[in-house]
Amino acid sequence: MRPYEVIHRKRDGRPVPPEAIADLVARYAEGSVPDYQMAAFCMAVFFRGMSEPELQALTGAMLRSGDVLDLSDIPGAKVDKHSTGGVGDKTSLAIAPLVAACGVKVPMVSGRGLGHTGGTLDKLQSIPGFQIHLPVERFRELVASVGACLVGQTDRIAPADRKLYALRDLTATVESIPLIAGSIMSKKLAEGIDGLVLDVKVGSGAFMKRLPDAVLLARTLVGIGRGMGKDVVALVTDMDQPLGRTVGNALEVKEILHLLHGGGPADLREVTVVLAAEMLVLGGVAATPAEGRVLVEQAIADGRGFRKLCEIVEAQGGDPRALVEPDRLPRAERVVDVLAPATGVVEAIDAEAVGLAAMALGAGRSRVEDPVDPAAGLEVWKKIGDRVEAGEPIAAMHLGLRPLEPPDAVAARLRAAWRIGAGPASPGPLVLQRIEEGVT
Ligand code: URA
């Protein structure tokens, strides 16, 4: 079917044969379908959506446009976790070692931070020497021997998605649930995994601000994964305030070290444990999430998670002394408190504004090619439901060497991000839904 006909059918809301979609994507990837036709197709999908067979075809074609890892010679189930992105969301740094310490292999291909959301790769790179680009053979070797390996994407993973995402970014077609779901799953399924736990964030700091959208995205992601024969489960989790108490790369690594030593903020610990427990179920070492939780908590309590993180860091060229003595991690020269403008109860926090403030201090980037400052970021002292006196610190800014904005301007934005009122207020549940069934 010619690209014109595919676009025409989709525009009018008529079904498109899955083979025609696969062909369109393959030809777009090789350059024989021009951007203007693909852009028209994306806009038609934006308004009309996609049926499950159409979406399977789109995802499969993006997946096949590049390399697909085969880890089948490594014994046992290989399970990864993917988060749709949030503020202070550092759970991967603890989940990979905890799950590996419990006997499930974790081949983790992560992303960089962009805009208000952070990325696992940037956090890992605040550990001196840590290598995120490894040859495929070394990746495979470390998954087999250490039990987990955390690397960045190569250009060879789903190149059609890379090209399509750039086009969507310029044509106002990013915010389409089928296109987002196909994009995420094409990259994840290229990792050679058997199972995947999805953490779909919802709230002021998430891509999806409303629960029905997050649930639909979660169900769509699960549907694609299951359609491709993988074990997939999604948890919809709260992102109405930063997770834990830190936002910024080295600060987040330090917070994870507290967690792996049995401490750390309760919300961060809970989300980490529930996601890791689901991975143990998919990996076949726990029969239920409750059983998985017990195993994960044991791996925290007896220090196996921390030791596994040290092993991973050492195997990937990092300096494990930075984990034993966290003062060796990058540290900001100046820390400046942000003071509460009023007395009352924290009723809400605009988590996206907090993420953007951390970015403005140098902890994040607005363009993929920008550098980040590992020491820059924020500590969040007052969270939803906390009482606060006017003039008391609600947050602390760790000033990077090259802030994108003057600290005073960032402090003003942070003060505006906290809504302080008469209360009472309390945070919502951390896990809003667990989704095992895809959209049919
Ligand atoms: N993340 C992705 O990988 N793809 C999208 O389309 C949106 C977010």
Side-chain angles (χ1 to χ4, degrees), residues 316-332:
Q316 295 194 229
D319 183 353
R321 289 175 307 172
L323 306 182
V324 180
E325 300 160 41
D327 283 350
R328 290 176 180 266
L329 289 167
R331 257 196 305 177

Side-chain angles (χ1 to χ4, degrees), residues 46-289:
F46 182 93
F47 285 110
R48 294 292 189 177
M50 287 185 112
S51 68
E52 189 151 343
E54 290 171 355
L55 186 49
Q56 293 286 357
L58 175 96
T59 311
M62 293 203 295
L63 170 69
R64 287 189 302 274
S65 70
D67 296 342
V68 180
L69 278 177
D70 180 3
L71 302 178
S72 57
D73 54 335
I74 301 174
K78 276 70 64 182
V79 182
D80 192 9
K81 186 236 29 160
H82 177 80
S83 156
T84 56
V87 178
D89 177 12
K90 57 208 61 98
T91 61
S92 291
L93 299 178
I95 285 176
L98 286 168
V99 171
C102 293
V104 174
K105 304 276 191 282
V106 186
M108 195 175 264
V109 180
S110 303
R112 293 204 174 279
L114 190 62
H116 73 279
T117 63
T120 302
L121 296 182
D122 297 320
K123 303 180 214 286
L124 287 168
Q125 283 191 307
S126 65
I127 302 170
F130 194 94
Q131 298 299 315
I132 55 158
H133 295 300
L134 299 178
V136 172
E137 267 322 303
R138 181 74 179 143
F139 177 71
R140 185 194 298 278
E141 222 174 87
L142 293 184
V143 171
S145 59
V146 176
C149 186
L150 296 92
V151 292
Q153 241 178 60
T154 67
D155 289 351
R156 292 296 314 145
I157 296 213
D161 171 65
R162 189 177 295 256
K163 192 171 171 191
L164 193 60
Y165 191 85
L167 183 74
R168 288 166 54 210
D169 207 19
L170 295 172
T171 55
T173 50
V174 168
E175 298 89 348
S176 150
I177 286 180
L179 293 179
I180 294 170
S183 165
I184 291 174
M185 292 305 280
S186 67
K187 288 174 287 205
K188 282 285 130 181
L189 297 172
E191 289 174 9
I193 46 175
D194 306 295
L196 178 65
V197 174
L198 292 153
D199 180 10
V200 177
K201 300 280 183 204
V202 62
S204 65
F207 215 41
M208 296 292 151
K209 310 283 184 213
R210 298 172 49 245
L211 185 60
D213 293 335
V215 169
L216 181 58
L217 176 60
R219 284 165 53 87
T220 308
L221 290 163
V222 170
I224 295 174
R226 299 228 157 192
M228 299 223 177
K230 308 291 177 189
D231 273 339
V232 184
V233 63
L235 299 184
V236 177
T237 70
D238 176 66
M239 189 31 72
D240 248 343
Q241 60 178 337
L243 188 60
R245 295 210 173 264
T246 59
V247 185
N249 299 299
L251 288 169
E252 294 191 37
V253 171
K254 284 182 202 165
E255 192 165 45
I256 283 299
L257 296 175
H258 289 305
L259 186 154
L260 290 175
H261 288 307
D267 60 345
L268 174 63
R269 189 181 165 107
E270 177 64 15
V271 176
T272 301
V273 171
V274 290
L275 291 167
E278 294 285 354
M279 289 172 74
L280 296 190
V281 175
L282 296 191
V285 308
T288 60

Side-chain angles (χ1 to χ4, degrees), residues 395-410:
M397 300 187 293
H398 288 238
L399 303 184
L401 295 177
R402 291 174 306 276
L404 312 180
E405 274 180 44
D408 284 353
V410 179

